[in-house]
Amino acid sequence: MTAELVRGQNHTLPQTRLEIRVSAGTPVVAGATLGDERGTVRGIEWIAHPGSPQLPGLEVSQQAAADHRLAVDLEALPTGAHRVTVLLALPIGVGGPVRFGAVPAPFVAVTGLDGTEIASFTLTDLDAESAVSALELYRRQDVWKVRAVGQGYAGGLAAMLADQGVTEPAALAGTIQEAVTRGLARSVAPPPPRTPEGDRVRHATGSADHRPTAPPPPPAPEPPEPLTDPAATGPAHTAQPHTAPGPAAAGPAAAGTSAGGPINYAHPRRQHAAPPSPPPTAPPAQPGQPAQPVAGDATGWSMDERLYNQIWGMFEDLARAVAAYRSAVDFAESRMDQELDRALSDPRNRIGGAGDRAREAARAKRDELASRAREALDRDLAQLAAEAAVVEPALPAAYAGWGNPVWHAHRIPMEIPMALRIGDLHLPERTDLRIPLLVRLPLERGIWVDSGRAASEAAALMDTDRLRRLAMETAVAHAARLLAVYPPGEFAVHVIDPAGSAAGPLAPLVEAGVLAGPPAAGPGGVASVLAHLTRRVDLVQMAVRAGAADSLPPDLDTGEQLLVVNDFPHGFDDRAVTQLRYLADEGPAVGVHLLMVADREEASAYGPILDPLWRSLLRITPVADSHLADPWVGHAWTYEPLTVPPGSRVLEQVLAAVAEARRAAGR
């Protein structure tokens, strides 16, 4: 039976190999410190954090996440360690909450390796604190116990480390936050917050459904305001792609409802909408058979939103199913090691064949547990694959790959979609099960197409010139997709090609006449384009702050702007680099976005001054690479870029449709 602890209460631990599971509802930093008999931390070598996640007997997560699993082996701790303190802190400078009072109460559980809960603790009554000592494992008279602590620190991570006797706590806290920021930069942005009524629809079956628990889809965001509010172009930037607005930002619809007036069913970014209709219903399942999957099996105001929610649900289902499988295999390996240790420590098993029989029995148990875990995983994967098979053909153009027939009949829309597909994700347990990687529109982060050979193993085997051309072709394809899903005249693409080396990949955009101007070349062209977009950001920001959006110059294009930069930093002087960083930081809030093709090593001469730029961009690659992490359990997912089928002219057809729609609209 699980011991539900309150502050100060302790509980004896029945075993020494444990997992500490954290569920916070928002990304948090999880770490741990080792203490001596007095609870003093002897040095930084006794602190496990995202920048240094492993110590003897202790391992923590390498990035901020809403859920964590910390592995602890109390018998393997360094000599002199009598205490393990679990620390939680909110990431700083990433656009998220800054105090625990603004987020759901974190929940911490101590479990065995098989997942059985031993003790749990909910950290309530936190307010201004941004860091907290959650619980501690301590040894008293050779018996290990767990104590619920819940000590919060308004001074943050530095104050908490200082309280444990760490020297130079501010410097260490800065190092930890820097590691967290780097981790968030490679993390796929999590879906919007959940609501109780947002569960994915599940149809009754005649037998138990072995599918992993499905996540609720995100709620519909509030409609964006005109350029009188900085949030008009999209939700909060960086780690969270969408943050549900609070009461102050609820807008006229909320006001009308609270006043008892009619409910406003206006959908965000939709010109016309109706109340949410029920999702499609799958055919009744036969007794003993799982329900048949159906496209749009999620709640939402439109089919596009239901599909978006369904894809996010599939993403989380796959992440958690694989996490359960890997955890079960780790448990099987750990159990085999324990049994082998016990068997070999018995002198009687060293004579005759007793030792060999003990090894065989331990390995047989390991194989049985791993086999059962694989069977459960295969069952989950089969159901997800069946769902993907019906979802993929039903996707609208913005969510579909280039090979989907929907692109051949695509017409330029009169309203922007919720999201855009920029690639696929998969895990090694089943590489043919691909999850579309969707980013919300308008873009909230710029995109960096990494053209460096050190980006991945596949890139290292490729010729440098070929890799650069492939990276630019990837950027052109993304620019074309953005042009195709925006209404005519509401999205403009600018190109900086300092050396003119991307003439070939840029040909589809240039020949279709869909660029805002010829690709800028040379230092003069770079300076001109950057000055134009910097001026636009400045003017819109001033208009927003003054509440005078109607005072913008008549020649100012208020549509979304995309700047494609090739071969950075060639052709950029110090002033141009500063302007580019400014656009990366301030541009997304007012509709100016970056799509950079660059090799980070070629910009190494600038040193750490460009680190914030790289972190602000979502890194993708022109070839397959395992560099993205999910926001739930932190798996390393393989990213596959979208490619145009060989011999297909779908890209040219789509760009021709964009040009024709612009002419028809007089743009």
Side-chain angles (χ1 to χ4, degrees):
M1 180 178 294
T2 304
E4 297 181 0
L5 306 180
V6 297
R7 275 185 177 84
Q9 186 178 1
N10 59 37
H11 182 73
T12 302
L13 295 173
Q15 58 200 77
T16 56
R17 290 190 176 185
L18 307 163
E19 273 192 354
I20 299 175
R21 303 187 180 188
V22 178
S23 179
T26 190
V28 297
V29 184
T33 61
L34 303 180
D36 57 20
E37 291 180 339
R38 298 181 179 180
T40 303
V41 180
R42 294 184 177 178
I44 60 173
E45 66 277 5
W46 272 25
I47 303 175
H49 57 81
S52 179
Q54 292 183 334
L55 296 178
L58 180 62
E59 183 174 359
V60 302
S61 303
Q62 298 186 46
Q63 66 178 41
D67 299 299
H68 291 272
R69 289 188 179 187
L70 285 64
V72 181
D73 185 350
L74 298 174
E75 294 181 349
L77 295 177
T79 303
H82 289 259
R83 184 173 302 180
V84 179
T85 304
V86 177
L87 316 176
L88 304 178
L90 293 170
I92 296 176
V94 297
V98 296
R99 60 187 187 90
F100 275 108
V103 302
F107 173 81
V108 185
V110 180
T111 75
L113 296 181
D114 59 353
T116 303
E117 283 193 7
I118 299 171
S120 64
F121 174 42
T122 301
L123 285 79
T124 57
D125 299 327
L126 297 175
D127 187 12
E129 299 89 345
S130 59
V132 60
S133 295
L135 53 78
E136 62 181 11
L137 314 179
Y138 65 98
R139 181 163 51 191
R140 182 69 53 82
Q141 297 178 349
D142 293 330
V143 176
W144 282 95
K145 298 182 179 183
V146 56
R147 176 187 292 121
V149 180
Q151 174 64 54
Y153 296 85
L157 192 56
M160 181 166 58
L161 294 172
D163 192 42
Q164 297 198 25
V166 177
T167 58
E168 299 184 1
L172 179 57
T175 301
I176 295 173
Q177 292 291 356
E178 177 70 16
V180 171
T181 304
R182 289 197 303 268
L184 287 174
R186 63 181 285 270
S187 176
V188 176
R194 304 170 179 175
T195 56
E197 50 276 293
D199 293 336
R200 294 179 71 198
V201 177
R202 289 288 168 253
H203 304 288
T205 64
S207 62
D209 187 358
H210 297 286
R211 182 189 187 105
T213 303
E222 294 293 331
E225 300 294 332
L227 287 176
T228 55
D229 184 28
T233 57
H237 163 71
T238 306
Q240 296 282 352
H242 172 75
T243 303
T257 302
S258 62
I263 297 175
N264 184 352
Y265 284 111
H267 187 277
R269 305 187 183 93
R270 301 295 194 273
Q271 294 177 355
H272 304 286
S277 56
T281 303
Q286 297 297 323
Q289 297 295 324
Q292 295 299 313
V294 60
D297 188 10
T299 57
W301 291 73
S302 66
M303 188 60 174
D304 285 5
E305 186 172 356
R306 290 198 290 267
L307 288 168
Y308 173 85
N309 294 341
Q310 186 174 15
I311 288 170
W312 269 107
M314 293 166 59
F315 188 15
E316 184 171 1
D317 284 355
L318 180 55
R320 296 196 184 281
V322 171
Y325 166 71
R326 293 178 180 178
S327 178
V329 171
D330 289 344
F331 168 71
E333 294 285 348
S334 176
R335 177 174 174 175
M336 181 186 71
D337 292 341
Q338 289 180 324
E339 292 179 351
L340 288 176
D341 289 344
R342 286 196 297 268
L344 296 179
S345 63
D346 189 345
R348 293 172 297 181
N349 290 335
R350 301 174 188 172
I351 303 174
D356 293 336
R357 289 192 295 273
R359 292 188 187 93
E360 292 176 1
R363 293 189 180 111
K365 290 181 181 178
R366 185 271 315 272
D367 293 342
E368 180 186 1
L369 290 174
S371 176
R372 286 160 51 189
R374 185 70 207 196
E375 288 177 4
L377 176 65
D378 288 342
R379 185 168 56 243
D380 295 336
L381 294 180
Q383 191 165 354
L384 282 167
E387 186 171 10
V390 298
V391 167
E392 187 70 36
L395 296 178
Y399 302 176
W402 287 115
N404 194 311
V406 70
W407 279 108
H408 295 282
H410 177 63
R411 294 184 178 182
I412 308 305
M414 297 307 296
E415 53 192 30
I416 69 171
M418 291 186 62
L420 182 75
R421 184 174 183 168
I422 62 170
D424 293 330
L425 299 172
H426 65 80
L427 291 172
E429 279 74 10
R430 182 160 177 175
T431 57
D432 64 328
L433 179 53
R434 308 292 177 89
I435 303 296
L437 175 56
L438 303 180
V439 294
R440 293 296 290 265
L441 294 180
L443 293 173
E444 295 145 12
R445 295 175 67 180
I447 298 175
W448 163 31
V449 184
D450 192 347
S451 60
R453 295 188 64 193
S456 65
E457 294 181 4
L461 300 175
M462 190 173 293
D463 175 76
T464 300
D465 293 338
R466 171 60 182 152
L467 183 62
R468 289 180 176 176
R469 181 182 178 89
L470 194 59
M472 194 59 193
E473 290 174 351
T474 301
V476 168
H478 287 315
R481 292 174 72 88
L482 285 163
L483 286 166
V485 301
Y486 268 80
E490 292 192 17
F491 196 87
V493 177
H494 308 260
V495 175
I496 290 179
D497 185 19
S501 59
L506 286 171
L509 296 174
V510 175
E511 293 172 359
V514 294
L515 294 179
V526 172
S528 176
V529 172
L530 291 176
H532 169 72
L533 292 176
T534 301
R535 171 179 175 268
R536 183 194 183 281
V537 172
D538 289 340
L539 289 175
V540 174
Q541 283 186 335
M542 286 189 292
V544 167
R545 293 179 185 131
D550 55 352
S551 65
L552 289 169
D555 64 335
L556 186 75
D557 183 1
T558 57
E560 300 284 310
Q561 310 288 310
L562 177 71
L563 174 59
V564 181
V565 179
N566 180 45
D567 222 11
F568 176 81
H570 297 296
F572 282 73
D573 56 19
D574 290 345
R575 175 179 173 80
V577 169
T578 301
Q579 288 177 314
L580 192 69
R581 286 188 55 190
Y582 175 71
L583 293 178
D585 293 338
E586 305 294 334
V590 290
V592 177
H593 315 285
L594 289 185
L595 177 53
M596 287 183 53
V597 178
D599 179 358
R600 186 169 183 174
E601 291 186 357
E602 294 184 355
S604 59
Y606 286 95
I609 192 173
L610 287 182
D611 286 350
L613 173 64
W614 304 120
R615 289 196 300 266
S616 69
L617 304 174
L618 173 62
R619 174 179 172 259
I620 61 176
T621 52
V623 293
D625 183 36
S626 303
H627 68 278
L628 292 175
D630 65 78
W632 299 288
V633 293
H635 291 316
W637 292 73
T638 298
Y639 167 81
E640 292 274 0
L642 298 176
T643 56
V644 177
S648 172
R649 294 191 57 81
V650 63
L651 183 63
E652 290 78 6
Q653 293 172 7
V654 168
L655 291 174
V658 171
E660 178 61 30
R662 288 186 171 187
R663 286 191 293 269
R667 300 299 179 95

